[in-house]
Amino acid sequence: MKKLAIIMAGAAVALTGATAASAQTVAERGEAKLAQMLEGRVAGEPVKCISAPRGNRVQVIENVGIVYDAGKTIYVARAVDPKMLDHWDVPIIDRFGSQLCTNDVMRTVDRSSGHFTGAVFLDDFVPYTKNG
């Protein structure tokens, strides 16, 4: 019985370490994807709201935040709790006006099941514009 308890405790520790390592890998992959998207762009002053007439240009970057591609400028809003954003998540944003703002209610649903997966709170949008 004591051996079983020791084995179970060891397995729990091993699984906890594996989960933390894979979560770090997911975050690193998200950051790498964002870095690739922003290559050759310069950051501007953060803003609370952006003009975003086409909602289909909003993309979730797993464990990072959301990106809105406005062509020459890409806006990045990092999530306050980035673990709430998974690659299966589809953002549903309830706007209070014509602009997309950090205080808009944003929830996520699972891409395959359509079930609610969480609420997301965003930091300011940082514009990244191409040089030249």
Side-chain angles (χ1 to χ4, degrees):
M1 187 71 158
K2 195 172 185 179
K3 275 187 175 180
L4 180 61
I6 292 171
I7 292 171
M8 296 295 281
V13 169
L15 287 174
T16 304
T19 303
S22 64
Q24 184 179 16
T25 303
V26 170
E28 289 174 352
R29 281 195 311 254
E31 290 292 345
K33 181 177 181 178
L34 180 60
Q36 184 180 10
M37 293 173 78
L38 299 177
E39 194 171 310
R41 295 176 182 270
V42 176
E45 290 295 317
V47 294
K48 296 270 184 219
C49 298
I50 61 172
S51 178
R54 294 185 178 172
N56 63 343
R57 291 188 176 185
V58 174
Q59 180 180 356
V60 171
I61 304 295
E62 187 174 13
N63 280 213
V64 176
I66 65 167
V67 172
Y68 180 79
D69 186 350
K72 185 178 179 185
T73 303
I74 291 177
Y75 294 91
V76 177
R78 291 183 174 273
V80 173
D81 183 7
K83 292 177 287 191
M84 292 300 297
L85 291 171
D86 186 78
H87 71 279
W88 287 105
D89 289 334
V90 175
I92 308 293
I93 303 168
D94 297 325
R95 294 185 188 189
F96 294 105
S98 61
Q99 294 187 316
L100 180 59
C101 298
T102 56
N103 64 344
D104 290 339
V105 176
M106 182 174 151
R107 56 195 158 87
T108 56
V109 296
D110 182 88
R111 183 178 314 276
S112 61
S113 70
H115 290 101
F116 173 80
T117 56
V120 178
F121 299 94
L122 301 173
D123 287 332
D124 289 348
F125 288 94
V126 178
Y128 290 85
T129 309
K130 287 183 180 179
N131 282 334

